[in-house]
């Protein structure tokens, strides 16, 4: 294959990984606070619908991105109220939100099925875009792509080097001890859940306003579940999210290029490859349970009751 084709594949992988990076970065923060949110898929779906509808009526994909983030934030507010305030079961609440998100997006998005909008244009980085090979792959995209990469890098710094990151991790490890130290456990868990929801909604809006600027029910196609698995794959360390998102997106893009090249493999099998890659990665990681326990937030999934 020519160098131009490899460059095209690399650039496509970076773009395709963007919604995974956004959603998984939000989920990582949520889980670091001790909240297991399995509603990421539903929040992404609602964000995709809200983002497309806002962009369709305003003519601005940027407005659509903000609308998608706001929709995810609203869903996260429901999740946080139920799990943080009322100490409801986090798994059941997340699954219910996913079902709710699919139903709501199908209801509000039905009149827009098959319609399209003008996508957000690319914003190449001056000078860096001319670097051989790396320039077209990393520095010739729309602004949300750069934001997703910088978000992960900033998150790694925040968790490692700031007092806020230490407080977040303390709440995720032992909320009772954190409360004893005077930390506002409820407020921190609320903030983490809302951030996660906003990023999931933004990831969904990226799909409907930038990546494929159209609306179709089911367009999120399980990326929310992959984002949740990606956090485990990264063992709750932000920089590994980059590697995982690019790996899983690469599998998806690879199957598209294989189909375009006329590779004689069942198309259903090729479409299932990204999900098989996720399952394979999780199985391989599970062979070392000590490593997972070492990095898993100790209070993940456990409700916190201030009076206990």
């Amino acid at each position: 294959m020519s160098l131009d084709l490899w460059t095209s594949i690399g650039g496509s992988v970076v773009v395709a990984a963007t919604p995974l990076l956004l959603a998984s970065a939000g989920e990582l923060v949520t889980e670091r606070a001790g909240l297991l949110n399995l509603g990421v898929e539903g929040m992404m779906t609602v964000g995709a619908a809200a983002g497309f509808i806002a962009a369709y009526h305003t003519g601005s994909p940027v407005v659509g991105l903000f609308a998608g983030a706001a929709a995810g934030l609203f869903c996260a507010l429901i999740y946080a109220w139920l799990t943080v305030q009322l100490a409801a079961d986090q798994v059941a609440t997340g699954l219910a939100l996913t079902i709710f998100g699919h139903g709501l997006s199908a209801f509000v998005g039905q009149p827009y099925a098959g319609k399209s909008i003008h996508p957000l244009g690319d914003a190449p980085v001056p000078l860096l875009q001319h670097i051989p090979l790396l320039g077209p792959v990393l520095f010739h995209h729309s602004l949300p792509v750069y934001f997703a990469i910088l978000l992960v890098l900033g998150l790694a710094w925040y968790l490692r080097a700031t007092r806020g990151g230490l407080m977040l991790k303390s709440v995720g490890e032992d909320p009772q001890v954190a409360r004893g130290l005077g930390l506002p456990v409820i407020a921190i868990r609320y903030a983490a859940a809302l951030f996660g929801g906003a990023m999931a909604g933004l990831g969904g809006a990226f799909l409907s306003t930038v990546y494929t600027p159209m609306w179709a029910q089911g367009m999120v196609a399980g990326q929310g579940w992959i984002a949740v698995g990606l956090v485990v794959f990264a063992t709750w360390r932000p920089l590994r999210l980059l590697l995982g998102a690019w790996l899983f997106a690469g599998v998806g893009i690879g199957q598209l290029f294989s189909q375009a090249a006329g590779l004689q493999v069942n198309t259903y099998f090729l479409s299932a490859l990204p999900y098989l890659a996720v399952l394979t990665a999780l199985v391989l990681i599970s062979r070392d349970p000590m490593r997972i326990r070492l990095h898993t937030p100790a209070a993940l999934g456990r409700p916190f009751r201030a009076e206990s």
Side-chain angles (χ1 to χ4, degrees), residues 101-124:
H102 280 295
L104 179 63
S105 63
F107 176 69
V108 301
Q110 194 275 334
Y112 303 91
K115 294 183 178 178
S116 61
I117 59 174
H118 292 292
L120 190 65
D122 289 340

PDB file of all heavy atoms in Angstrom, residues 101-124:
ATOM      1  N   GLY A 101     -32.527   6.113  27.199  1.00  0.00           N
ATOM      2  CA  GLY A 101     -31.889   6.906  26.152  1.00  0.00           C
ATOM      3  C   GLY A 101     -32.235   6.424  24.761  1.00  0.00           C
ATOM      4  O   GLY A 101     -32.497   7.233  23.854  1.00  0.00           O
ATOM      5  N   HIS A 102     -32.247   5.111  24.573  1.00  0.00           N
ATOM      6  CA  HIS A 102     -32.610   4.568  23.250  1.00  0.00           C
ATOM      7  C   HIS A 102     -34.050   4.920  22.904  1.00  0.00           C
ATOM      8  O   HIS A 102     -34.353   5.304  21.763  1.00  0.00           O
ATOM      9  CB  HIS A 102     -32.409   3.052  23.256  1.00  0.00           C
ATOM     10  CG  HIS A 102     -30.982   2.637  23.071  1.00  0.00           C
ATOM     11  ND1 HIS A 102     -30.272   2.879  21.919  1.00  0.00           N
ATOM     12  CD2 HIS A 102     -30.121   2.004  23.902  1.00  0.00           C
ATOM     13  CE1 HIS A 102     -29.040   2.411  22.033  1.00  0.00           C
ATOM     14  NE2 HIS A 102     -28.920   1.882  23.238  1.00  0.00           N
ATOM     15  N   GLY A 103     -34.934   4.781  23.879  1.00  0.00           N
ATOM     16  CA  GLY A 103     -36.341   5.089  23.604  1.00  0.00           C
ATOM     17  C   GLY A 103     -36.564   6.562  23.324  1.00  0.00           C
ATOM     18  O   GLY A 103     -37.275   6.933  22.372  1.00  0.00           O
ATOM     19  N   LEU A 104     -35.946   7.423  24.144  1.00  0.00           N
ATOM     20  CA  LEU A 104     -36.132   8.857  23.963  1.00  0.00           C
ATOM     21  C   LEU A 104     -35.574   9.335  22.625  1.00  0.00           C
ATOM     22  O   LEU A 104     -36.208  10.130  21.914  1.00  0.00           O
ATOM     23  CB  LEU A 104     -35.446   9.609  25.112  1.00  0.00           C
ATOM     24  CG  LEU A 104     -35.527  11.135  25.066  1.00  0.00           C
ATOM     25  CD1 LEU A 104     -36.982  11.588  25.173  1.00  0.00           C
ATOM     26  CD2 LEU A 104     -34.687  11.762  26.185  1.00  0.00           C
ATOM     27  N   SER A 105     -34.377   8.858  22.273  1.00  0.00           N
ATOM     28  CA  SER A 105     -33.769   9.296  21.007  1.00  0.00           C
ATOM     29  C   SER A 105     -34.586   8.811  19.813  1.00  0.00           C
ATOM     30  O   SER A 105     -34.704   9.522  18.798  1.00  0.00           O
ATOM     31  CB  SER A 105     -32.329   8.786  20.913  1.00  0.00           C
ATOM     32  OG  SER A 105     -32.300   7.372  20.887  1.00  0.00           O
ATOM     33  N   ALA A 106     -35.156   7.612  19.909  1.00  0.00           N
ATOM     34  CA  ALA A 106     -35.999   7.119  18.810  1.00  0.00           C
ATOM     35  C   ALA A 106     -37.255   7.975  18.663  1.00  0.00           C
ATOM     36  O   ALA A 106     -37.708   8.258  17.550  1.00  0.00           O
ATOM     37  CB  ALA A 106     -36.381   5.659  19.074  1.00  0.00           C
ATOM     38  N   PHE A 107     -37.798   8.427  19.811  1.00  0.00           N
ATOM     39  CA  PHE A 107     -39.020   9.229  19.783  1.00  0.00           C
ATOM     40  C   PHE A 107     -38.772  10.618  19.195  1.00  0.00           C
ATOM     41  O   PHE A 107     -39.480  11.056  18.286  1.00  0.00           O
ATOM     42  CB  PHE A 107     -39.582   9.335  21.204  1.00  0.00           C
ATOM     43  CG  PHE A 107     -40.779  10.218  21.324  1.00  0.00           C
ATOM     44  CD1 PHE A 107     -41.995   9.848  20.773  1.00  0.00           C
ATOM     45  CD2 PHE A 107     -40.695  11.453  21.964  1.00  0.00           C
ATOM     46  CE1 PHE A 107     -43.110  10.672  20.869  1.00  0.00           C
ATOM     47  CE2 PHE A 107     -41.793  12.281  22.066  1.00  0.00           C
ATOM     48  CZ  PHE A 107     -43.015  11.894  21.510  1.00  0.00           C
ATOM     49  N   VAL A 108     -37.749  11.318  19.723  1.00  0.00           N
ATOM     50  CA  VAL A 108     -37.517  12.692  19.262  1.00  0.00           C
ATOM     51  C   VAL A 108     -36.798  12.730  17.914  1.00  0.00           C
ATOM     52  O   VAL A 108     -36.880  13.724  17.181  1.00  0.00           O
ATOM     53  CB  VAL A 108     -36.714  13.492  20.307  1.00  0.00           C
ATOM     54  CG1 VAL A 108     -37.443  13.544  21.627  1.00  0.00           C
ATOM     55  CG2 VAL A 108     -35.308  12.920  20.488  1.00  0.00           C
ATOM     56  N   GLY A 109     -36.071  11.652  17.579  1.00  0.00           N
ATOM     57  CA  GLY A 109     -35.300  11.685  16.339  1.00  0.00           C
ATOM     58  C   GLY A 109     -36.037  11.157  15.128  1.00  0.00           C
ATOM     59  O   GLY A 109     -35.565  11.320  14.000  1.00  0.00           O
ATOM     60  N   GLN A 110     -37.208  10.556  15.360  1.00  0.00           N
ATOM     61  CA  GLN A 110     -37.924   9.934  14.240  1.00  0.00           C
ATOM     62  C   GLN A 110     -38.196  10.900  13.076  1.00  0.00           C
ATOM     63  O   GLN A 110     -38.010  10.534  11.907  1.00  0.00           O
ATOM     64  CB  GLN A 110     -39.225   9.316  14.776  1.00  0.00           C
ATOM     65  CG  GLN A 110     -39.907   8.350  13.826  1.00  0.00           C
ATOM     66  CD  GLN A 110     -40.809   9.060  12.817  1.00  0.00           C
ATOM     67  OE1 GLN A 110     -41.298  10.156  13.109  1.00  0.00           O
ATOM     68  NE2 GLN A 110     -41.004   8.473  11.648  1.00  0.00           N
ATOM     69  N   PRO A 111     -38.611  12.167  13.331  1.00  0.00           N
ATOM     70  CA  PRO A 111     -38.858  13.074  12.190  1.00  0.00           C
ATOM     71  C   PRO A 111     -37.597  13.457  11.424  1.00  0.00           C
ATOM     72  O   PRO A 111     -37.694  14.012  10.317  1.00  0.00           O
ATOM     73  CB  PRO A 111     -39.468  14.324  12.878  1.00  0.00           C
ATOM     74  CG  PRO A 111     -39.951  13.848  14.203  1.00  0.00           C
ATOM     75  CD  PRO A 111     -39.008  12.773  14.609  1.00  0.00           C
ATOM     76  N   TYR A 112     -36.417  13.200  11.980  1.00  0.00           N
ATOM     77  CA  TYR A 112     -35.163  13.621  11.341  1.00  0.00           C
ATOM     78  C   TYR A 112     -34.417  12.454  10.696  1.00  0.00           C
ATOM     79  O   TYR A 112     -33.300  12.642  10.216  1.00  0.00           O
ATOM     80  CB  TYR A 112     -34.254  14.286  12.383  1.00  0.00           C
ATOM     81  CG  TYR A 112     -34.901  15.466  13.083  1.00  0.00           C
ATOM     82  CD1 TYR A 112     -35.607  15.290  14.267  1.00  0.00           C
ATOM     83  CD2 TYR A 112     -34.829  16.739  12.532  1.00  0.00           C
ATOM     84  CE1 TYR A 112     -36.223  16.362  14.905  1.00  0.00           C
ATOM     85  CE2 TYR A 112     -35.436  17.816  13.155  1.00  0.00           C
ATOM     86  CZ  TYR A 112     -36.129  17.614  14.343  1.00  0.00           C
ATOM     87  OH  TYR A 112     -36.737  18.686  14.957  1.00  0.00           O
ATOM     88  N   ALA A 113     -35.010  11.278  10.695  1.00  0.00           N
ATOM     89  CA  ALA A 113     -34.331  10.096  10.155  1.00  0.00           C
ATOM     90  C   ALA A 113     -33.943  10.313   8.689  1.00  0.00           C
ATOM     91  O   ALA A 113     -34.776  10.702   7.864  1.00  0.00           O
ATOM     92  CB  ALA A 113     -35.238   8.874  10.276  1.00  0.00           C
ATOM     93  N   GLY A 114     -32.684  10.095   8.381  1.00  0.00           N
ATOM     94  CA  GLY A 114     -32.198  10.222   7.009  1.00  0.00           C
ATOM     95  C   GLY A 114     -31.810  11.619   6.593  1.00  0.00           C
ATOM     96  O   GLY A 114     -31.258  11.814   5.504  1.00  0.00           O
ATOM     97  N   LYS A 115     -32.093  12.628   7.437  1.00  0.00           N
ATOM     98  CA  LYS A 115     -31.728  14.005   7.084  1.00  0.00           C
ATOM     99  C   LYS A 115     -30.262  14.260   7.430  1.00  0.00           C
ATOM    100  O   LYS A 115     -29.681  13.588   8.276  1.00  0.00           O
ATOM    101  CB  LYS A 115     -32.635  14.994   7.812  1.00  0.00           C
ATOM    102  CG  LYS A 115     -34.089  14.887   7.350  1.00  0.00           C
ATOM    103  CD  LYS A 115     -34.969  15.922   8.030  1.00  0.00           C
ATOM    104  CE  LYS A 115     -36.405  15.809   7.497  1.00  0.00           C
ATOM    105  NZ  LYS A 115     -37.326  16.760   8.152  1.00  0.00           N
ATOM    106  N   SER A 116     -29.674  15.246   6.773  1.00  0.00           N
ATOM    107  CA  SER A 116     -28.255  15.519   6.978  1.00  0.00           C
ATOM    108  C   SER A 116     -28.034  17.006   7.208  1.00  0.00           C
ATOM    109  O   SER A 116     -28.907  17.838   6.956  1.00  0.00           O
ATOM    110  CB  SER A 116     -27.432  15.040   5.780  1.00  0.00           C
ATOM    111  OG  SER A 116     -27.835  15.722   4.605  1.00  0.00           O
ATOM    112  N   ILE A 117     -26.852  17.330   7.717  1.00  0.00           N
ATOM    113  CA  ILE A 117     -26.471  18.723   7.965  1.00  0.00           C
ATOM    114  C   ILE A 117     -25.070  18.958   7.409  1.00  0.00           C
ATOM    115  O   ILE A 117     -24.370  18.010   7.038  1.00  0.00           O
ATOM    116  CB  ILE A 117     -26.475  19.038   9.476  1.00  0.00           C
ATOM    117  CG1 ILE A 117     -25.502  18.105  10.200  1.00  0.00           C
ATOM    118  CG2 ILE A 117     -27.869  18.931  10.051  1.00  0.00           C
ATOM    119  CD1 ILE A 117     -25.312  18.423  11.656  1.00  0.00           C
ATOM    120  N   HIS A 118     -24.673  20.216   7.356  1.00  0.00           N
ATOM    121  CA  HIS A 118     -23.297  20.517   6.948  1.00  0.00           C
ATOM    122  C   HIS A 118     -22.366  20.191   8.117  1.00  0.00           C
ATOM    123  O   HIS A 118     -22.565  20.674   9.232  1.00  0.00           O
ATOM    124  CB  HIS A 118     -23.162  21.988   6.557  1.00  0.00           C
ATOM    125  CG  HIS A 118     -23.903  22.331   5.298  1.00  0.00           C
ATOM    126  ND1 HIS A 118     -23.521  21.853   4.053  1.00  0.00           N
ATOM    127  CD2 HIS A 118     -25.010  23.090   5.087  1.00  0.00           C
ATOM    128  CE1 HIS A 118     -24.356  22.306   3.132  1.00  0.00           C
ATOM    129  NE2 HIS A 118     -25.280  23.052   3.732  1.00  0.00           N
ATOM    130  N   PRO A 119     -21.334  19.401   7.861  1.00  0.00           N
ATOM    131  CA  PRO A 119     -20.448  19.004   8.975  1.00  0.00           C
ATOM    132  C   PRO A 119     -19.527  20.145   9.393  1.00  0.00           C
ATOM    133  O   PRO A 119     -19.352  21.129   8.669  1.00  0.00           O
ATOM    134  CB  PRO A 119     -19.645  17.849   8.366  1.00  0.00           C
ATOM    135  CG  PRO A 119     -19.611  18.153   6.907  1.00  0.00           C
ATOM    136  CD  PRO A 119     -20.927  18.809   6.591  1.00  0.00           C
ATOM    137  N   LEU A 120     -18.948  19.979  10.565  1.00  0.00           N
ATOM    138  CA  LEU A 120     -17.959  20.930  11.051  1.00  0.00           C
ATOM    139  C   LEU A 120     -16.682  20.775  10.221  1.00  0.00           C
ATOM    140  O   LEU A 120     -16.202  19.664  10.003  1.00  0.00           O
ATOM    141  CB  LEU A 120     -17.661  20.658  12.530  1.00  0.00           C
ATOM    142  CG  LEU A 120     -16.827  21.702  13.279  1.00  0.00           C
ATOM    143  CD1 LEU A 120     -17.574  23.022  13.377  1.00  0.00           C
ATOM    144  CD2 LEU A 120     -16.480  21.189  14.678  1.00  0.00           C
ATOM    145  N   GLY A 121     -16.135  21.895   9.771  1.00  0.00           N
ATOM    146  CA  GLY A 121     -14.945  21.838   8.917  1.00  0.00           C
ATOM    147  C   GLY A 121     -13.681  21.529   9.701  1.00  0.00           C
ATOM    148  O   GLY A 121     -13.633  21.646  10.925  1.00  0.00           O
ATOM    149  N   ASP A 122     -12.640  21.127   8.963  1.00  0.00           N
ATOM    150  CA  ASP A 122     -11.347  20.852   9.588  1.00  0.00           C
ATOM    151  C   ASP A 122     -10.656  22.151   9.966  1.00  0.00           C
ATOM    152  O   ASP A 122     -10.878  23.208   9.358  1.00  0.00           O
ATOM    153  CB  ASP A 122     -10.455  20.059   8.639  1.00  0.00           C
ATOM    154  CG  ASP A 122     -10.946  18.626   8.477  1.00  0.00           C
ATOM    155  OD1 ASP A 122     -11.692  18.164   9.354  1.00  0.00           O
ATOM    156  OD2 ASP A 122     -10.583  17.982   7.471  1.00  0.00           O
ATOM    157  N   ALA A 123      -9.811  22.063  10.978  1.00  0.00           N
ATOM    158  CA  ALA A 123      -9.017  23.215  11.423  1.00  0.00           C
ATOM    159  C   ALA A 123      -7.563  22.757  11.557  1.00  0.00           C
ATOM    160  O   ALA A 123      -7.090  22.454  12.657  1.00  0.00           O
ATOM    161  CB  ALA A 123      -9.540  23.745  12.760  1.00  0.00           C
ATOM    162  N   PRO A 124      -6.849  22.676  10.419  1.00  0.00           N
ATOM    163  CA  PRO A 124      -5.463  22.187  10.472  1.00  0.00           C
ATOM    164  C   PRO A 124      -4.590  23.074  11.364  1.00  0.00           C
ATOM    165  O   PRO A 124      -4.759  24.293  11.402  1.00  0.00           O
ATOM    166  CB  PRO A 124      -5.015  22.274   9.013  1.00  0.00           C
ATOM    167  CG  PRO A 124      -6.277  22.336   8.212  1.00  0.00           C
ATOM    168  CD  PRO A 124      -7.273  23.042   9.065  1.00  0.00           C
TER     169      PRO A 124
END
